Amino acid sequence: HDLAVGREMVRRLYAILDTISPKRRAAFTLFEIEGRDLAQLAELMGISKAAAKSRVWFARREVIKKAGNDPYLGTFLEELER
């Protein structure tokens, strides 16, 4: 059961990520999912640290807005809002 819930959460998150810009999606994925820090993110994407921070911030806002009150993404969204 937990595995099925986890899979559904990932499916829903990636469905949301598919709707945001590729640059923001990449920044979000590297930072929030892969756990890269902003310096690594900036280097990997060839952008400034400030630009990396901005992309992550805007991507977070989009994910939170689009997920709404999704019961599968609730815990994940709470972490993003911190």
Side-chain angles (χ1 to χ4, degrees):
H1 175 62
D2 287 342
L3 184 59
V5 170
R7 284 184 182 152
E8 182 61 17
M9 185 182 92
V10 169
R11 187 193 69 73
R12 289 176 186 222
L13 175 60
Y14 278 96
I16 290 169
L17 290 176
D18 282 344
T19 69
I20 66 176
S21 78
K23 291 178 180 179
R24 288 181 182 174
R25 179 174 55 242
F28 182 92
T29 302
L30 289 167
F31 188 79
E32 295 292 351
I33 297 174
E34 292 186 14
R36 306 288 183 130
D37 63 30
L38 288 174
Q40 291 173 320
L41 175 59
E43 183 178 341
L44 287 167
M45 296 187 77
I47 58 177
S48 70
K49 196 171 167 183
K53 185 175 182 178
S54 176
R55 287 183 188 178
V56 170
W57 189 86
F58 281 106
R60 278 182 182 159
R61 297 287 71 100
E62 286 188 68
V63 169
I64 290 166
K65 182 179 177 182
K66 291 179 181 197
N69 294 320
D70 189 304
Y72 287 94
L73 296 175
T75 303
F76 181 73
L77 293 175
E78 289 171 10
E79 291 294 319
L80 286 181
E81 292 178 326
R82 289 185 187 179

